[in-house]
Amino acid sequence: MAIVLILGNFLVPMDKIVLTKFVIGGILLILGLTIFLLGVDLGIQPMGERCGSALTQKRSLGLLLSVAFVIGFIVTAAEPDIQVFGDQVKSIFPQVNKSLFTFSIAAGVGLFIMLGLLRSVLNFSIKWTLLAAYIFLFVISFFAPENFIGIAFDSGGATTGPMTVPFILALGLGVSSVRSKDNDNSFGLTGIASIGPILAVLIYSIILSASGSFSGNEEIGQGIIENQALAQELIKSSFFKEVFQPFGQVFSSVFKEALISIAPLFGLFIIFQIFLLKMTVRQVVRMIIGFIYSLIGLTIFLIGVNGGFMQAGKILGQLLGSYAVNRGGIWYAILIATGFILGAIIVCAEPAVWVLSEQVESVSGGTIKRKFLLLFLSVGTALAIGLSLLRCIWAFDLKWVLIPGYSLALLLMIFSPDLFTGVAFDSGGVASGPLTSTFILSFTIGASNKGGDSFGVIALVAMMPLITIQLMGIVFNKKMISKNKTNPEIEGEADA
């Protein structure tokens, strides 16, 4: 908030009403995030762990995998980020059937959650699983239309929203706690689940192209130009003459989105309670309270994002982008630096990032500190936003970044401990949550001055943590080895 206010007041002057709404949105965001995380701790996370443990104890692999698919499909289809993402894609490619597009993504998530849990049950290497999946993914990508590559990889980040991630993380931990003494095995499920939608969208685009309804050469610059024009129009319109009116206008739609997002999980909770969990009345009441807190918190959070944050991001990006185009020189550096700083900071406000970092610190017994995980995650996201803005300016092919980036991430798996590999691929999903997907995406759309390259921002945000977190693991591992050599009596404790 401080960075945007400084830029908006001194470097690229913004409308005072816009900045006031931005501050109000930020306050709502803080309040909503606090209440939401309390609800996750009380209801969603315990439910996921209990479900994972109970399903595994049934000793029916078919039941576990079938329920996992249903959970993944229902939760993803109801995820607000996916609905917004589907609208964005259809607005630029009218040939896309939004319902079929959404269900394809949901099926991809469900199938790969099945694969992730099967890996956990069989105690198969997370590294070999990810390596095989990504090799297959990139082979398929060469047959997909060029303009759908960014959309496909963006979908992998868009699926990991504020409701999906906590439940998937908890489900993986619950299964791992029964099947393995090593809780490190619980990480990686979100990372594996993120591959499913990418593959599903690639296959969907290939089928769409084969049917002749999509050539893959369509220009998508017009959508960006229209978004820039809209941002400029909003500055001048009477919409910004009222400070509180926008927050009231988005309340009903945001509450509906939050309710639709939470309702499937609550329905599953009721079914699991009747047939599987059999919890006490006190436990049930505690979880219901958690769901209510989550609903209230998510609603307030999204009102803040949609009522103030998103618009300010688009206008700030549009102004910086126009300055860079018209004046050149130092303004390009300022644009990239602004994106870098915003990327480093904004990822720490993602709800799912806090859920993941808390679970990592808990499972590692405090060995892996939350602050270090957030530091490396921030660096990765900052680099991703910087690359995204460079792509907006120069419009280079996304494959020239994704292929080397993922190749490096897969190479680092050789040297990184299994725990950090799992956490890294989970982090790639959680970093691209609702705040990043709204403020940062709006910022880059506003900053873009060339056609065709708004999609791919989320993909780069999801990719960079795979590299930085594994580098963190390599550094951590070397320090532990050095400590063991210096103090051999703690070697057993370090191994544990």
Side-chain angles (χ1 to χ4, degrees), residues 34-47 49 166 286-287 290-291 293-294 354-355 358-359 370:
T34 304
I35 298 173
F36 173 80
L37 290 174
L38 178 60
V40 168
D41 286 341
L42 288 175
I44 297 172
Q45 196 161 327
M47 174 192 165
E49 291 182 17
R286 179 184 173 89
M287 288 199 175
F291 273 100
Y293 280 159
S294 297
W354 286 91
V355 175
E358 181 182 11
Q359 191 180 96
R370 168 182 280 184

Side-chain angles (χ1 to χ4, degrees), residues 45-202:
Q45 196 161 327
M47 174 192 165
E49 291 182 17
R50 288 175 183 272
C51 288
S53 299
L55 287 169
T56 308
Q57 289 172 349
K58 289 290 184 181
R59 299 189 178 277
S60 173
L61 185 59
L63 176 64
L64 173 64
L65 298 182
S66 299
V67 172
F69 175 82
V70 172
I71 290 174
F73 186 92
I74 291 177
V75 173
T76 304
E79 184 68 56
D81 288 356
I82 289 298
Q83 302 300 323
V84 174
F85 185 68
D87 288 331
Q88 290 174 328
V89 173
K90 187 169 178 60
S91 68
I92 295 175
F93 297 115
Q95 309 94 322
V96 172
N97 183 307
K98 182 189 172 184
S99 297
L100 188 57
F101 182 79
T102 301
F103 291 147
S104 297
I105 291 176
V109 173
L111 286 171
F112 272 75
I113 286 180
M114 287 175 57
L115 176 63
L117 290 181
L118 180 63
R119 180 206 71 81
S120 184
V121 169
L122 299 179
N123 205 23
F124 191 68
S125 170
I126 179 68
K127 295 180 178 179
W128 285 108
T129 304
L130 291 169
L131 180 63
Y134 273 102
I135 289 176
F136 182 68
L137 187 68
F138 277 105
V139 169
I140 295 295
S141 70
F142 282 99
F143 298 95
E146 190 68 32
N147 283 342
F148 251 83
I149 301 297
I151 294 173
F153 279 87
D154 278 356
S155 70
T159 53
T160 48
M163 295 306 303
T164 310
V165 170
F167 193 83
I168 292 178
L169 287 172
L171 185 65
L173 183 60
V175 172
S176 179
S177 65
V178 175
R179 296 295 304 178
S180 173
K181 295 180 180 179
D182 184 8
N183 278 336
D184 294 1
N185 198 41
S186 65
F187 294 105
L189 182 58
T190 303
I192 293 173
S194 298
I195 301 172
I198 303 175
L199 184 61
V201 172
L202 288 175

Side-chain angles (χ1 to χ4, degrees), residues 15-21 233-246 249:
D15 190 282
K16 301 302 180 185
I17 301 299
V18 176
L19 292 176
T20 304
K21 290 199 316 173
E233 181 184 343
L234 288 175
I235 297 177
K236 301 176 181 178
S237 70
S238 60
F239 177 79
F240 284 102
K241 301 303 179 183
E242 300 290 338
V243 174
F244 296 100
Q245 184 180 359
Q249 288 175 335

Side-chain angles (χ1 to χ4, degrees), residues 226-295:
E226 289 173 358
N227 280 327
Q228 289 182 346
L230 175 62
Q232 193 63 36
E233 181 184 343
L234 288 175
I235 297 177
K236 301 176 181 178
S237 70
S238 60
F239 177 79
F240 284 102
K241 301 303 179 183
E242 300 290 338
V243 174
F244 296 100
Q245 184 180 359
F247 297 98
Q249 288 175 335
V250 301
F251 172 78
S252 59
S253 60
V254 161
F255 178 76
K256 182 179 178 181
E257 284 184 0
L259 186 62
I260 291 174
S261 180
I262 292 177
L265 275 180
F266 187 72
L268 289 172
F269 164 68
I270 294 174
I271 294 173
F272 287 146
Q273 168 61 16
I274 295 173
F275 297 103
L276 186 67
L277 298 178
K278 312 289 186 184
M279 293 184 294
T280 64
V281 173
R282 183 174 181 178
Q283 290 172 326
V284 170
V285 170
R286 179 184 173 89
M287 288 199 175
I288 290 175
I289 292 173
F291 273 100
I292 293 173
Y293 280 159
S294 297
L295 175 62

